[in-house]
Amino acid sequence: MAPKPLLEWLHRNGSDQASRNTVSRAVSIYNAWAASQAVKPTQGSLFEEYD
């Protein structure tokens, strides 16, 4: 199951404004979590030792 598409569908098709607002917040939380899971590049050093 893909959580983000499901949340987005619920946001568009929620039964009332309160549930759509709640799902909108859940999408924001999910997006923040997904961004934190992205691979972070590592910075090399100018003084790395080579074999």
Side-chain angles (χ1 to χ4, degrees), residues 5-48:
L6 176 59
L7 290 172
E8 290 170 340
W9 184 89
L10 287 169
H11 181 244
R12 287 189 308 272
N13 300 300
S15 60
D16 57 27
Q17 188 61 45
S19 64
R20 289 190 298 272
N21 289 345
T22 302
V23 173
S24 177
R25 178 69 180 130
V27 169
S28 297
I29 292 168
Y30 179 87
N31 287 337
W33 172 82
S36 74
Q37 301 302 305
V39 176
K40 309 259 188 305
T42 57
Q43 180 175 352
S45 171
L46 292 174
F47 304 105
E48 288 179 358

